[in-house]
Amino acid sequence: MSSGIFTLELSKITIETIRAFREQGIAEGLRVEYKEDFPQDIERTICAFANSEGGIILIGVQTDRNTNKPVSIPGIELKSGLEEKVVNICLSHISPTIMPEVKVCDFKSSPDKTESDRAVLFIRVHRSYMAPHYLINTNEILVRVHNRNSRADLRTIEALINRREKAKSAPEQITPYLGTKEITIATDVYQSVVICPVFPLDNRIHFNKENNERLFNVVNNVLTLTTSKPRPWHLELLSYDSSGRITRYCRVSRNGRIAFQRTATVENSRLYMYPSIRFLMKALKAAREIYPHFGFYGELAVGLIIVGTQNLLLGFPANRYLDRDYRCEKAEIFINRTIQYDELFNFKELIQDIINEFCLYFGLELNKEIISEIADELMN
């Protein structure tokens, strides 16, 4: 699944955005629903999305009945009150109340029309931390299963209640857990990348021979690791130096937490930013491949942590952007962001934020143009 349509600012959603999304050929599924006409029971899908991982509903899109993929955009009749209609349905049919994002994306059905006469109704529902939501008329609690809305079983309802309770302490939950495993290293600096669901998953992955081999291959695109230690609750991958010290490490846990750790690249007391950011980018790309095996496409906390025992100088290739030494006055750099799974497919904005905060640790402020230039160079 790859599109900014899940995270793009509502004001920027247009009919062109929806047409570009249709071209990707994404079938109806966990987070996508297409309707050719306005459905009589739209509250069911809105409720199910809110109780699950969120999603989008596109009304006015025709699908292939065999593949459930979009084939055309005939639209629906453009008339006033479409947005209000969705809001009123939510207010009268769902409790606790859900307020999705709604926008009418209008267009002309033919070039000879003087003004728009058709539209696609865009509805974006976010993962709710007020779950479980239920339908007032039937008392049903619905969740999304593949491309269907299904009644939640008791275990799922308990998990939804637990999600609501955890949301009361959300700031604490968003911070990635850093306790991977302390690494004994020859140098005095190491770095970690931690990626995890904002709210831990309920052991959705099984560590068996097939999954372990797949995870091992994905992880080795980030770090070259030589030893695998599968356990019932997590998978550990490690590498040692000639003296038996651990120099690289990864853990994939059943609750969805992925942690990478390695020694940092330091030359003449200079910590070069590029290798650290590239390390983060590789880890994000690995997470993009790993999370579908959890069935997870939700909100993620991302942390880049660099720990040393002495102050570090910031380095760039050929000292670009530097007119003097920039020194980090503490031994730990900790950068934390919260993103959506879909942002893993286009994370330039995230990388720019990381670069900016990374530089601020050293007292270096770069303008947006330079930060964008660095991000482009890193992503090529």
Side-chain angles (χ1 to χ4, degrees), residues 17 34 63 75 89 92 94 110 119 166 194 293-294 343 377:
T17 310
Y34 304 108
T63 58
I89 287 173
S92 60
I94 304 172
S110 62
K166 286 182 177 179
V194 181
H293 298 292
F294 286 86
E343 294 178 65
E377 187 171 339

Side-chain angles (χ1 to χ4, degrees), residues 195-213:
I195 306 169
C196 61
V198 170
F199 297 100
L201 307 179
D202 297 322
N203 298 340
R204 296 189 187 182
I205 197 168
H206 297 285
F207 290 107
N208 53 39
K209 183 177 180 180
E210 181 182 357
N211 276 332
N212 288 353
E213 184 175 346

Side-chain angles (χ1 to χ4, degrees), residues 4-10 13-14 17-18 55-59 83 86 100-105 119-125:
I5 200 169
F6 292 93
T7 54
L8 192 64
E9 185 180 329
L10 187 63
I13 299 290
T14 64
T17 310
I18 293 168
I56 60 169
I57 306 169
L58 298 176
I59 301 175
E83 295 172 336
V86 175
E101 296 178 277
V102 186
K103 186 173 182 181
V104 176
C105 300
V120 171
L121 187 57
F122 172 85
I123 304 171
R124 182 162 55 197
V125 184

Side-chain angles (χ1 to χ4, degrees), residues 230-346:
R231 306 188 188 281
W233 52 92
H234 63 249
L235 177 67
E236 287 185 354
L237 302 158
L238 312 98
S239 279
Y240 303 87
D241 64 13
S242 57
S243 61
R245 291 185 294 241
I246 299 171
T247 57
R248 295 184 297 274
Y249 173 86
C250 174
R251 173 184 285 180
V252 181
S253 302
R254 291 189 69 190
N255 63 5
R257 182 179 294 114
I258 307 168
F260 294 95
Q261 197 160 291
R262 71 174 189 183
T263 56
T265 302
V266 179
E267 299 175 12
N268 299 323
S269 297
R270 276 184 196 278
L271 174 70
Y272 286 89
M273 181 175 68
Y274 282 33
S276 296
I277 303 297
R278 286 198 174 101
F279 180 39
L280 170 65
M281 291 169 62
K282 285 184 177 182
L284 290 171
K285 290 177 181 178
R288 186 171 69 192
E289 295 185 50
I290 291 173
Y291 281 118
H293 298 292
F294 286 86
F296 176 76
Y297 302 95
E299 196 172 20
L300 295 166
V302 177
L304 171 64
I305 308 97
I306 301 174
V307 179
T309 57
Q310 61 183 18
N311 295 341
L312 295 169
L313 301 179
L314 179 61
F316 286 96
N319 289 327
R320 285 199 303 161
Y321 316 116
L322 296 179
D323 54 9
R324 62 181 177 85
D325 287 337
Y326 290 84
R327 185 183 301 273
C328 183
E329 299 298 336
K330 52 186 177 180
E332 180 178 301
I333 299 170
F334 175 36
I335 302 170
N336 184 29
R337 285 290 183 275
T338 303
I339 65 171
Q340 295 291 330
Y341 170 81
D342 304 294
E343 294 178 65
L344 296 177
F345 291 86
N346 182 13

